[in-house]
Amino acid sequence: RLQIDSANLNSAFEWLLRTPCDDGCAALDLASSLRFYWTSRNLREGRRWLDEALAGAVEPTDSRARALYATAWVALLQGDPSAARTYLQE
């Protein structure tokens, strides 16, 4: 289902990234909740969305912590343990 609606997901991410971040940071929440989708579809796309969401929300929140964990996990799957370590250390 998500693959069929991938254009809508991209539109949602683009809109959320332009929306000011509040405590919940919807872009971070959406990107990190889709980590299993990224692994079955396109790790590179998932990492890009996660990185962009993290860049737009620098306040230390629960949403950011979940996104950092998801990004580290995707980085490990991509064979990038150095980046994963950096995300996990934060």
Side-chain angles (χ1 to χ4, degrees):
R1 287 184 191 178
L2 290 174
Q3 190 168 2
I4 292 169
D5 280 331
S6 63
N8 289 333
L9 280 176
N10 289 338
S11 294
F13 273 121
E14 289 171 12
W15 183 81
L16 289 170
L17 289 171
R18 291 191 308 266
T19 302
C21 188
D22 60 7
D23 284 345
C25 271
L28 288 173
D29 291 335
L30 182 58
S32 59
S33 67
L34 292 171
R35 66 188 175 277
F36 297 114
Y37 169 68
W38 305 127
T39 61
S40 68
R41 185 169 184 277
N42 188 336
L43 287 172
R44 187 176 313 179
E45 179 182 22
R47 176 102 175 257
R48 181 175 60 91
W49 285 121
L50 285 159
D51 283 339
E52 286 188 40
L54 286 166
V58 295
E59 294 297 318
T61 62
D62 289 346
S63 294
R64 183 168 176 81
R66 283 188 298 273
L68 286 165
Y69 177 80
T71 309
W73 186 64
V74 170
L76 281 173
L77 292 174
Q78 288 180 309
D80 191 354
S82 175
R85 186 177 306 108
T86 300
Y87 290 119
L88 291 173
Q89 284 174 337
E90 183 180 340

